[in-house]
Amino acid sequence: MTLVKTKIGRRAFIRNTGLASGGLVIGFSWLASCKMTPEQVNSLPKEWFELNGFLKVGDNGMVTIMSPNPEIGQNVKTSMPMIVAEELDVAWKNVMVEQAPLNTDIFTRQLAGGSQSIRQGWESLRMAGATARHMLKDAAAQAWGVPADEITTKDGVLTHEASGNSAGYGEMASAATSIEVPEEVQLKDNGNFSIIGTDKKNVDGKEIVTGKPLFGLDVYKEGMLTAMIVHPPAFGMKYKGMNADAVKSMPGIKDVFHFEVYPEGIEKQWSDQGGIPELVAIVGNSTWECMQAKKSLEVEWEQDSTAESTSYHEEALAELLETPSETPARKDGDVDAAFAKAAKIVESTYSAPYLAHNTMEPMNFFAHVTPEKAELLGPIQTPEFAEKTVAARLGMPLEKIDIMMTRMGGGFGRRLYGPFVIEAAVISQKMNAPIKLVYSREDDMTQGTYRPSYKVKYKAGLDENGNLIAWHVRGAGTNDDLIFENRFPAGAVDNYLAEKHSLQTNVTTGAWRAPRSNFVAGAEQAFMDEVAEAAGKDPLEFRLELFDRAINNPVGDPEQNDYDPERYAGVLKLVKEKANWGAETGKARGVAAYYCHNSYVAQVIELEDGGDMPRVDNIICAVDCGIVINPLAAKNQIEGGMIDGIGHSTYSAMSFEDGKPQQSNFDTYRLIRHSEAPKNIEVHFVDNGIDPTGLGEPSLPPAIAALSNALYKATGRRFYKQPFINDKPPLVG
Amino acid sequence: MATFTLNINGTKQEVDVDPSTPMLWVLRDHLNLVGTKYGCGIAQCGACTIHLDGTATRACMLTVSSVGNSEITTIEGLSEEGDHPVQKAWLEVDVPQCGYCQAGQIMTASALLEKNPNPTDEEIEMAMNGNICRCGTYTRIKKAVKLAAKS
């Protein structure tokens, strides 16, 4: 047992907070709208006893666990409550899960981003369960007149062996509410887990496959109007004027007006990035009527800043790749001197376009703003920040703003940025009515907040024995400087230089699943293959040699390197074994490994025979994310991430002409489909008992390089420019 | 506006809407059947897939005036208790991630199996290619379709 202080999220463990009465949750009739199955109704307790903000125990032993973080498909609504249930020591079949509303008094970091929900929630979730178990044990000890530390728990049952006493949690729940919250609690040892590390299916699975209302777009309320927005048709343009009279009299239309989302002087949060300051709103009775009005409405726009095109972005980024940085991000040794004496030099440039997030559920939000309060409901990854801007924009105090998260039809970083929450609130305030703001797919895809466009140039020097003696990387991105200077191979090469540039543009950008890594990993790990080939070495063994160097004789201060070379090498060794690397399979294969979001992933991709762009036949993947909470869901995340990386690097791109997005829907923006997806995927986890780290993002970045390295083996061509489907690289050699 | 009597999930339903209104919005905005999802509005993503006389059809481009007496089945009407073999297979394989596209995937898969109870991998892919899953659940969807075909 590990003894820990209950210091994290201390307020969560104090009873009789706002949640004790069920206030916020019950305030929204949303949750009640999901019908329960007959078994659930029969198993509902007569009374619930709340032991802390994370959980309540029913008189029949059922337990409700609140899932604090937004659910975007990363499965935290299942895996976070599993951690609480583990420490509470309750049977999973007796657990019901509820999405918690935003409540910063109780929960820490209610945010979906950076693959951090589990890593940063780990301690407080365990404590929530352990604290409640402690209180139940104390209650039983008092009832039975025995020492609490002689009482054991298992599957929601308290037992005192010596006296022969035994009781379910439900029997002690009422008494436990008057037990003092412990100052410190005992956590289970890793080896004693019975829920963590077992396959648990998605808690919303049944509702999903039966089409129940779970998502923001599914919110319909009494008297609710539908709202849509019209935004400028191109970046660099702003609102000038309109004549909306004819459109206002169209069937079902209530109002059409211009509004400021962000008036001058309003205090913004980082989550407001990409917000368009002025928009036009169309409000009506139904979605289709609003869509029809939108087609008829003519708005005048005027040029506000430069009209940028993709050709400009590409030329400007290319120019930055030829521009030395006056302040290199990292410099070890002397790359120039090393290149001068190198036996071989390898040099390559990689590039990738802007990408849209394209969550399947477009942006939307419900808002009902009255002078007394603002009730907001919908899909947002950053509710805490959205709440602050809503308060500032409406001129209302924070405590009058309630935000509840729905399940989200995808996130991928897009819903970190919530200008649509502010837009919904402003429209509702103006209409003095409950409204649901709905973005059309076209609004969503052409609004901005894109994955930046990138270019990176690598140069490597090898000595006569094929040892890597110099590595120079210079990267550039639109509104983003791309390079992680302290990641591999920093620390493994004597002469190392990393430089980075950012190109300021008015095409808005934001975090997109595995920011920066989603491009730079594909480039770096593809280049590593070229260098290994030039060195005459096996690409996997070449990487392991470099990790040996970083382990045994690191360059510079090892603390400066933000990766652990042993764990990095560990996933490569695991994938080597599982893929039987080196054996002749008759298939074109590529390997890659990457570290991001505190986790390590290595992959071997095998292609089918034939064609210019052969399909992925098989992926063997090794992952070190520490303790795996839910192996079933973890595999799902890893699979999805790899398909995401393969799909976008092969097929997807956003481009611009005079600031106007050239893709606005799935007829022009290509996403990977069934017949293009990998045929088989196997995932292996390193079992090391280390505290858990990220899973939602780390499998995406290396998949791009494993694919392009395999494509080289299959086609004899090195792919440098994404999307690969449009690249026509020459045959090598 | 015009009145239409529709046969949805075995029940006659009357709606008063503009004749150009797509069935997607009739279902969602007027009949409170929100399992049919909006994804693109141009029949490219499959999130709005329903059965029209048993054939998988994109509701976003099917106007209410063109439906006539045809039988419409939505995800809500696929089974009484959520126990259609395809739904059961989806749960068994734990297919969904975000879950948004899955009703459309299930409707396409169930229409396929109705016509072709034992499809090959290629036939599954061809039938399902109009349904995009942004989370990348494709390998599990194929597994679930094959599992449902067995049952």
Side-chain angles (χ1 to χ4, degrees), chain A residues 529 533 581 584-591 605-617 705-719 729-732:
Chain A
D529 242 51
E533 188 181 41
W581 181 261
E584 191 46 60
T585 62
K587 301 257 182 198
R589 287 179 139 192
V591 66
I605 284 185
E606 287 182 342
L607 301 178
E608 287 191 318
D609 294 335
D612 292 341
M613 191 54 61
R615 181 174 174 185
V616 174
D617 184 46
L707 172 66
S708 63
N709 293 338
L711 282 173
Y712 170 63
K713 291 289 180 191
T715 66
R717 300 170 200 276
R718 295 267 183 205
F719 287 78
L731 278 168
V732 177

Side-chain angles (χ1 to χ4, degrees), chain A residues 202 206 209 217-218 220 287-288 357 360 407 440-441 615 636 639-640 644 665 672-675 678, chain B residues 20 22 28-29 35 37-40 44 81 87 94 97-98 100 105 125 128-129 134-135 138-140:
Chain A
N202 192 323
K206 187 74 184 274
V209 304
L217 267 185
D218 301 342
Y220 287 82
T287 319
W288 183 246
H357 294 82
M360 286 311 291
R407 188 177 181 88
S440 68
R441 172 57 60 196
R615 181 174 174 185
N636 293 352
E639 286 181 10
D644 200 353
N665 208 324
I672 190 167
R673 290 178 184 266
H674 282 271
S675 65
Chain B
S20 74
R28 293 184 58 83
D29 283 0
K37 300 299 188 212
Y38 168 64
C40 69
Q44 290 291 313
E81 302 287 338
Q87 288 168 315
D94 201 40
Q97 281 179 220
C98 87
Y100 191 79
Q105 305 273 3
E125 286 171 2
M128 302 296 300
N129 245 6
R134 178 65 183 80
C135 297
Y138 295 129
T139 46
R140 293 195 301 284

Side-chain angles (χ1 to χ4, degrees), chain A residues 71-73 200-202 205-206 208-213 215 217-218 220 226 286-289 291-292 356-362 407-410 412 436 439-442 512-513 615 632-633 635-637 639-641 643-644 648 665-667 671-675 677-681, chain B residues 1 18 20-22 25 28-30 32 34-42 44-45 47 60 75-76 78-79 81-83 87-88 90-103 105-106 121-122 124-126 128-143:
Chain A
E71 172 62 63
I72 57 175
K200 294 286 177 274
K201 287 175 182 160
N202 192 323
K206 187 74 184 274
I208 289 169
V209 304
T210 51
K212 292 288 182 296
F215 301 95
L217 267 185
D218 301 342
Y220 287 82
T226 299
S286 72
T287 319
W288 183 246
E289 285 166 328
M291 284 178 165
Q292 295 303 96
H357 294 82
N358 287 330
T359 59
M360 286 311 291
E361 179 195 20
R407 188 177 181 88
M408 298 176 216
F412 315 109
K436 180 173 63 180
Y439 278 24
S440 68
R441 172 57 60 196
E442 289 81 3
W512 190 103
R513 196 176 193 177
R615 181 174 174 185
L632 178 68
K635 278 179 199 156
N636 293 352
Q637 282 303 303
E639 286 181 10
I643 292 173
D644 200 353
H648 280 91
N665 208 324
F666 299 129
D667 52 346
L671 289 170
I672 190 167
R673 290 178 184 266
H674 282 271
S675 65
K679 288 190 159 178
N680 299 292
I681 297 175
Chain B
M1 300 296 243
D18 185 283
S20 74
T21 310
W25 298 112
R28 293 184 58 83
D29 283 0
H30 301 277
N32 198 28
V34 299
T36 306
K37 300 299 188 212
Y38 168 64
C40 69
I42 58 166
Q44 290 291 313
C45 79
C60 71
I75 186 74
E76 292 89 347
L78 188 63
S79 64
E81 302 287 338
D83 52 2
Q87 288 168 315
K88 281 161 75 177
W90 244 247
L91 291 175
E92 179 56 35
V93 179
D94 201 40
V95 169
Q97 281 179 220
C98 87
Y100 191 79
C101 74
Q102 299 298 344
Q105 305 273 3
I106 288 168
D121 282 16
E122 289 67 32
I124 294 172
E125 286 171 2
M126 288 320 292
M128 302 296 300
N129 245 6
N131 288 75
I132 294 172
C133 173
R134 178 65 183 80
C135 297
T137 63
Y138 295 129
T139 46
R140 293 195 301 284
I141 287 176
K142 205 193 308 175
K143 220 177 275 178

Side-chain angles (χ1 to χ4, degrees), chain A residues 298-318:
Chain A
E298 286 179 23
V299 184
E300 261 190 281
W301 311 95
E302 61 187 347
Q303 205 68 38
D304 185 35
S305 59
T306 319
E308 297 173 2
S309 298
T310 294
S311 55
Y312 159 73
H313 295 140
E314 290 193 352
E315 283 160 24
L317 288 174

Side-chain angles (χ1 to χ4, degrees), chain A residues 104-267:
Chain A
T104 51
D105 282 348
I106 291 179
F107 305 110
T108 51
R109 197 182 181 279
Q110 284 183 282
L111 187 148
S115 294
Q116 295 299 305
S117 293
I118 295 292
R119 178 170 174 258
Q120 297 200 28
W122 176 239
E123 208 173 6
S124 57
L125 293 164
R126 294 183 76 185
M127 266 183 222
T131 306
R133 183 180 57 167
H134 182 108
M135 290 156 73
L136 288 160
K137 278 170 70 172
D138 273 4
Q142 286 182 11
W144 300 333
V146 302
D149 58 8
E150 289 179 7
I151 294 174
T152 57
T153 58
K154 190 176 182 347
D155 289 346
V157 177
L158 298 140
T159 307
H160 185 251
E161 209 163 305
S163 64
N165 279 304
S166 174
Y169 281 1
E171 297 167 63
M172 293 295 164
S174 173
T177 59
S178 31
I179 300 288
E180 187 88 356
V181 178
E183 286 295 320
E184 50 186 21
V185 288
Q186 287 186 315
L187 300 180
K188 287 187 181 179
D189 288 333
N190 289 355
N192 294 336
F193 292 152
S194 59
I195 294 175
I196 289 173
T198 63
D199 288 348
K200 294 286 177 274
K201 287 175 182 160
N202 192 323
V203 293
D204 281 342
K206 187 74 184 274
E207 285 74 18
I208 289 169
V209 304
T210 51
K212 292 288 182 296
L214 289 170
F215 301 95
L217 267 185
D218 301 342
V219 175
Y220 287 82
K221 297 211 181 204
E222 190 66 35
M224 183 188 91
L225 299 170
T226 299
M228 298 193 79
I229 50 115
V230 186
H231 66 63
F235 294 93
M237 298 195 96
K238 68 167 189 174
Y239 176 81
K240 189 177 178 196
M242 65 174 170
N243 183 347
D245 292 348
V247 173
K248 278 184 190 175
S249 61
M250 284 178 72
I253 297 305
K254 295 285 186 188
D255 204 356
V256 180
F257 55 90
H258 158 257
F259 70 108
E260 285 187 295
V261 187
Y262 297 104
E264 249 183 71
I266 187 111
E267 194 188 338

